Amino acid sequence: MGAYCTEWEDSMKLISHVLTIIVCSVGVAVALKPVAARAQVTIFQKSGPSSDFDAWLQGITLTGQIEGGIDANPARPDNGINFGNFLGDHANQVQLNQVALTLARAIDPTKAEYQIGFTLEALYGSDARYYHLLGISDHMTSDRYQLIPAQAHVDTHLPWLTKGGLNMQAGILQAPMGVETLDPTTRPFYSLAYTSEYSVPFQHVGAMFKWHVIDMLDVTFGIDTGNQTTFGRSDNNDAPAGYFGFNLNNLAHGKLTIIELSRVGPEDSVKVLGSPANHLNRFWNDINATYAITDKLSVTGEFNYLHDDGLRADTTSFVSFLSYKITPTLTFNYRGEIYRDNTGLFVASFLTNRAYMQAVAGIPAPAESAPPTTYGELTLGVTYKPDLGHHIRVFEIRPEIRFDRSLNGTTPFNDGRNTGVFTFGGDAVLGF
């Protein structure tokens, strides 16, 4: 009972800290906007016509975002970990998932002219533990709350080959594969699907290209050092990897979009497999389609298949999403998933704050795993997203209920005791 009380007190303290940060963020946003406007006038206002460089500078934006959440587990696993859950991995504990600041100058791909921009994003919080790059930020701290350069890339638009031209991003990139992303405002739930955690990459150092062939078709390709690796000793093998795929846009009178992306290259560590790791490939394949049935109702389906030559392992999954806008500020969300890990080598929970990146590097790491398992997952939730105005860019509250179950009789949940687990929780997001 004493341990439970201590845990509760710690959680309430963290809730207080998160609420304090949110309140302060609102105050800072409200207070700073007039100052920023005056600063812009001071820097850019000129008596004569503005130059192209002045216009480019005026396109630079600074945004901030904070997210905190909790995944409560009534079974209270002894190790305190929600198995198979990265972002809400600590059961019954509030976490400050993200505090992100983004400085950017966007490009406009609809303009047939040379353009250059950039994106710089720093992220602090518990989510950072899973999005490091080897050799850049993975050794900075062993605390639960960590700091990463979530993005740092140069963006260009080149009016080449076709009317739509070619877009390029080069630097530290967030991986483009899959439906759910690191930014909580782009996905319907606090928690992630198994597919989004174990069968798509997270971060890259490299270059990505998108060629706008025609209005209906974009072609994507790119090259990088590997998933969450960099160069030299900070690469877990000596070979690059890369993407290729396509987007089909505005099908069915603008209601349907289809995105296919494949990836190939060695991803396993030479510390685990030896020199064969440099030529044994991992093949990632993801296709998803989103259809807007009405203005209020949309559905998404995602199919993913991964094969790893070095591990002799496969994962196969299908995820379905449904979103229904009940009112302008309230949306109902559904996610259902079937995920097969045919060797038990992919789905795992990492028991220390640096364990995930140690596994990427090929260093032994404390983790909880399961035998070959077919996972079923159902998540229901709502998103309350009022327009607060007063310089608040976005505000969301997203409660959710989730049920996970082994469909082939294994017991991966709650310290290996149960075939299923029930969790409930959610998060709050504030952006300015």
Side-chain angles (χ1 to χ4, degrees):
M1 184 69 180
Y4 176 77
C5 292
T6 300
E7 179 182 283
W8 176 255
E9 290 173 358
D10 291 342
S11 297
M12 293 307 296
K13 288 179 182 177
L14 187 51
I15 291 175
S16 175
H17 293 332
V18 172
L19 290 176
T20 300
I21 293 172
I22 289 176
V23 171
C24 290
S25 297
V26 173
V28 169
V30 172
L32 283 186
K33 186 164 184 180
V35 175
R38 290 195 296 270
Q40 183 175 344
V41 170
T42 303
I43 295 173
F44 297 117
Q45 185 174 1
K46 302 177 72 173
S47 58
S50 297
S51 67
D52 290 341
F53 184 64
D54 291 334
W56 186 87
L57 289 175
Q58 291 174 7
I60 296 175
T61 60
L62 176 64
T63 57
Q65 189 164 281
I66 181 172
E67 178 203 17
I70 183 173
D71 256 325
N73 182 344
R76 299 186 62 201
D78 293 337
N79 63 8
I81 298 297
N82 288 321
F83 180 79
N85 189 327
F86 280 177
L87 305 188
D89 54 356
H90 287 265
N92 308 313
Q93 294 184 29
V94 175
Q95 297 194 130
L96 177 61
N97 290 88
Q98 299 183 14
V99 176
L101 287 176
T102 305
L103 185 70
R105 208 297 180 186
I107 60 173
D108 184 352
T110 65
K111 293 183 178 179
E113 59 187 34
Y114 289 95
Q115 299 174 60
I116 185 168
F118 66 90
T119 301
L120 299 173
E121 180 182 355
L123 186 149
Y124 172 81
S126 59
D127 290 358
R129 295 169 297 161
Y130 298 100
Y131 288 85
H132 285 289
L133 290 162
L134 292 177
I136 292 183
S137 55
D138 57 311
H139 289 286
M140 190 178 299
T141 178
S142 59
D143 295 337
R144 185 185 305 184
Y145 300 124
Q146 302 182 7
L147 178 67
I148 60 168
Q151 299 185 75
H153 49 83
V154 175
D155 308 332
T156 62
H157 177 72
L158 308 171
W160 296 351
L161 304 174
T162 60
K163 179 181 178 181
L166 185 70
N167 293 340
M168 182 195 76
Q169 296 181 328
I172 296 176
L173 311 171
Q174 293 182 1
M177 182 179 285
V179 173
E180 298 175 314
T181 73
L182 176 59
D183 182 351
T185 63
T186 66
R187 61 180 195 259
F189 296 103
Y190 172 51
S191 65
L192 296 176
Y194 291 93
T195 302
S196 305
E197 293 179 318
Y198 301 106
S199 293
V200 299
F202 284 174
Q203 294 280 96
H204 300 303
V205 172
M208 290 292 299
F209 300 84
K210 180 168 284 188
W211 178 25
H212 300 285
V213 181
I214 57 176
D215 289 343
M216 188 186 73
L217 175 64
D218 296 333
V219 173
T220 301
F221 54 97
I223 188 169
D224 56 72
T225 59
N227 179 38
Q228 297 183 262
T229 67
T230 55
F231 297 98
R233 295 182 179 179
S234 296
D235 193 351
N236 58 6
N237 56 60
D238 297 328
Y243 287 94
F244 54 93
F246 61 85
N247 291 26
L248 296 177
N249 311 305
N250 299 315
L251 304 177
H253 304 289
K255 294 185 176 182
L256 176 64
T257 299
I258 299 174
I259 302 172
E260 191 283 332
L261 206 54
S262 296
R263 175 176 172 79
V264 61
E267 298 287 357
D268 299 317
S269 174
V270 294
K271 294 179 180 178
V272 176
L273 300 182
S275 59
N278 294 316
H279 59 80
L280 293 173
N281 290 322
R282 181 176 298 179
F283 301 88
W284 325 58
N285 303 277
D286 189 275
I287 185 168
N288 60 80
T290 298
Y291 184 73
I293 299 173
T294 68
D295 291 341
K296 293 184 177 182
L297 178 64
S298 65
V299 293
T300 297
E302 178 182 15
F303 175 77
N304 184 288
Y305 172 70
L306 180 153
H307 170 75
D308 191 292
D309 283 338
L311 301 178
R312 298 182 180 179
D314 302 88
T315 68
T316 307
S317 62
F318 177 76
V319 196
S320 58
F321 300 84
L322 181 145
S323 176
Y324 180 73
K325 186 171 287 188
I326 301 170
T327 71
T329 60
L330 188 66
T331 301
F332 168 79
N333 296 305
Y334 152 91
R335 180 180 64 208
E337 179 182 23
I338 296 177
Y339 183 95
R340 173 64 181 175
D341 179 2
N342 79 331
T343 59
L345 295 177
F346 278 90
V347 177
S349 284
F350 297 91
L351 303 181
T352 62
N353 294 323
R354 291 181 54 192
Y356 173 82
M357 290 307 299
Q358 289 174 334
V360 172
I363 300 171
E368 181 183 23
S369 59
T373 299
T374 301
Y375 298 89
E377 172 255 319
L378 173 66
T379 308
L380 303 175
V382 295
T383 299
Y384 176 60
K385 189 177 180 180
D387 182 3
L388 298 182
H390 301 290
H391 320 293
I392 304 302
R393 178 174 55 86
V394 62
F395 177 70
E396 297 180 350
I397 299 176
R398 305 186 300 180
E400 68 175 55
I401 299 174
R402 173 169 173 160
F403 181 68
D404 297 70
R405 185 174 180 84
S406 164
L407 302 180
N408 65 323
T410 61
T411 57
F413 303 107
N414 300 325
D415 302 308
R417 301 193 309 260
N418 303 121
T419 58
V421 61
F422 168 77
T423 57
F424 62 94
D427 64 350
V429 184
L430 173 71
F432 57 89

